Amino acid sequence: MPDSGVSRAQRAQHDTPHPLPTPAGPATTAAQRAGLLVTLVLGGLTALPPLSMDMYLPALPAVTDSLHAPAATVQLTLTACLTGMALGQLVVGPMSDRWGRRRPLLLGMIVYVLATVICAFAPTAELLIAFRLLQGLAGAAGIVISRAVVRDLYDGVEMARFFSTLMLISGVAPVVAPVIGGQVLRFTDWRGIFVVLTVVGLLLTFVVWKWLHETLPEAERHTGGIGDALRTMRGLLADRVFTGYMVAGSLAFAALFAYVSASPFVVQEIYGASPQTFSLLFGINSIGLIAVGQINGKVLVGRISLDKALGFGLAVISLAAIALLLMTTGVFGDVGLLPVAAGLFVLMSAMGLAMPNTNTQALMRTRHAAGSASALLGTSSFLIGAVASPLVGIAGEETAVPMAVVQVVCALSAVACFLLLCRPWRHVPQDQPAGG
């Protein structure tokens, strides 16, 4: 029987010099404040990577002019940061299983701040690309260790609820980040965006040092080196059910990536919407994702099984993607923007059921190696999403069909992985070890 979130946090109190306050019986005001603080800290760490990516987007033309570099070269600053976030998780995850969560996280945050400072003063595009890569590598610590900390503290439905809460914060970040970046550019140049990110990084580093205490007891840490880490990851990937949840979640995330990559072009160029209308639709879709994520955490979790909620979410994503494909290929004639926007809204909203529940179900099987498991989950999502994104424009700028095709393929493949690998009807024990 898995531990409850309370009992695991209570155990961490005795294993760490600065324990996280947790309730011991009826909920107390102090315990509620501690839980809120942990939520805000982990939410901030989860939001930092999308802030690092999206605050910078409005400044791309200015960077091109300032550094006298081709637009394609400046675009590599985004690719470098995304690549760093993907690969950095593979490094930081095993580190956190060996040395605990605090030290790798604080090291990553310090390196992030230093890399961001250098980005602010980079004299050439090449140097900016190099330190955006380092910024992404270091920023990955926040993504991977946040998930591992959640796994340390919670099990089962409590973990699913916490992931749904994190989705509220991480879902808002990509929406508000370009707006913040645009406002910063009203008062300063593109370098000021990196100054703001430096300040955010410093604040998060202080908060982590001050209030986020160690959650992985020494007795549960791995003592081996690189070989042991690789064996652990190989063992995790050999676990059919873990891999099924990982790949299903990554494919669902790729459908989301396809939307993010193609929607500015589809909504504005093909369907003739203004930038303001596009921003409004993007915001509404993000609100839908966040709202369904909260329904998942506050209403569904604990009342129905996580697999049922996940299966329903994947089914809705698949149906919405198929509807978008039929609309964009002209099966229903010239449907206009509103039906397409409705299809995208349904697809995006259903992600609120898919993403938190795939993470929860995968991590439920990996109590002994949460850092490595979190690294594999994050890296898989980023890499599959990065592969899917360029495919949305493969047929040029005159059609939205490639976006819908990518979404249909990703959604149906996610359903296939869920059914064939996870086999939810067999009721596999949720905390079965893997990768040991």
Side-chain angles (χ1 to χ4, degrees):
M1 183 78 178
D3 301 340
S4 69
V6 170
S7 64
R8 300 191 69 178
Q10 286 174 331
R11 188 180 67 244
Q13 280 190 309
H14 301 289
D15 292 330
T16 58
H18 301 288
L20 255 143
T22 53
T28 64
T29 303
Q32 290 170 347
R33 284 199 301 267
L36 177 61
L37 180 60
V38 173
T39 302
L40 293 175
V41 172
L42 297 184
L45 292 170
T46 304
L48 186 60
L51 285 176
S52 301
M53 288 288 294
D54 296 344
M55 273 184 66
Y56 176 70
L57 293 178
L60 285 177
V63 176
T64 301
D65 295 337
S66 174
L67 299 181
H68 307 290
T73 301
V74 174
Q75 287 284 348
L76 288 177
T77 62
L78 295 175
T79 304
C81 189
L82 184 62
T83 302
M85 289 178 190
L87 299 180
Q89 296 183 64
L90 291 177
V91 177
V92 178
M95 286 175 60
S96 74
D97 283 336
R98 182 175 183 184
W99 289 299
R101 311 306 184 201
R102 268 179 62 86
R103 281 190 286 175
L105 179 55
L106 286 170
L107 176 62
M109 293 303 301
I110 291 169
V111 174
Y112 173 89
V113 169
L114 294 175
T116 306
V117 169
I118 296 174
C119 286
F121 295 99
T124 65
E126 290 74 19
L127 191 64
L128 182 59
I129 290 169
F131 280 93
R132 283 285 277 175
L133 176 64
L134 182 60
Q135 186 190 42
L137 287 167
I143 306 173
V144 68
I145 293 179
S146 292
R147 279 194 299 260
V149 168
V150 174
R151 181 63 187 96
D152 292 339
L153 296 177
Y154 299 100
D155 267 311
V157 296
E158 291 301 320
M159 182 162 49
R161 288 186 177 125
F162 201 99
F163 275 129
S164 294
T165 302
L166 285 185
M167 179 168 288
L168 172 63
I169 300 171
S170 60
V172 169
V175 179
V176 303
V179 177
I180 296 173
Q183 294 303 309
V184 171
L185 290 175
R186 293 182 61 186
F187 302 100
T188 182
D189 61 6
W190 63 271
R191 298 181 189 275
I193 291 177
F194 288 107
V195 173
V196 172
L197 288 172
T198 299
V199 173
V200 173
L202 284 170
L203 288 173
L204 275 174
T205 304
F206 174 77
V207 169
V208 167
W209 172 77
K210 183 74 174 175
W211 286 295
L212 188 65
H213 307 302
E214 184 57 66
T215 59
L216 183 66
E218 289 192 19
E220 296 184 15
R221 297 179 191 177
H222 291 199
T223 56
I226 296 176
D228 182 64
L230 292 175
R231 282 191 296 273
T232 298
M233 287 189 174
R234 186 171 66 245
L236 290 168
L237 293 174
D239 176 21
R240 169 180 50 78
V241 179
F242 170 83
T243 301
Y245 285 122
M246 179 187 74
V247 177
S250 298
L251 288 165
F253 190 66
L256 174 63
F257 252 61
Y259 159 76
V260 172
S261 299
S263 60
F265 158 71
V266 170
V267 173
Q268 295 180 83
E269 299 299 324
I270 296 179
Y271 290 98
S274 66
Q276 292 74 28
T277 300
F278 165 72
S279 299
L280 177 63
L281 292 176
F282 193 92
I284 290 173
N285 290 343
S286 299
I287 291 170
L289 186 152
I290 294 166
V292 173
Q294 294 310 292
I295 291 171
N296 178 70
K298 307 294 185 185
V299 178
L300 300 182
V301 169
R303 290 179 171 85
I304 66 173
S305 74
L306 300 183
D307 278 331
K308 285 182 179 178
L310 171 57
F312 181 74
L314 292 177
V316 172
I317 291 170
S318 300
L319 291 174
I322 292 170
L324 285 166
L325 180 60
L326 294 175
M327 285 188 282
T328 55
T329 52
V331 171
F332 302 126
D334 187 5
V335 296
L337 176 60
L338 189 58
V340 172
L344 290 171
F345 174 79
V346 172
L347 184 145
M348 278 283 287
S349 298
M351 294 290 174
L353 293 175
M355 292 194 290
N357 290 325
T358 50
N359 281 337
T360 300
Q361 292 291 67
L363 288 172
M364 282 283 287
R365 302 180 61 80
T366 59
R367 173 177 172 179
H368 70 296
S372 296
S374 178
L376 289 173
L377 289 171
T379 301
S380 173
S381 294
F382 273 99
L383 291 181
I384 294 178
V387 170
S389 293
L391 299 179
V392 299
I394 200 168
E397 300 181 358
E398 301 298 327
T399 175
V401 172
M403 177 194 73
V405 169
V406 170
Q407 290 173 331
V408 167
V409 171
C410 289
L412 294 180
S413 298
V415 171
C417 285
F418 177 58
L419 295 177
L420 298 178
L421 297 180
C422 303
R423 301 176 187 175
W425 59 87
R426 293 194 175 186
H427 305 290
V428 178
Q430 291 180 310
D431 205 24
Q432 176 181 328

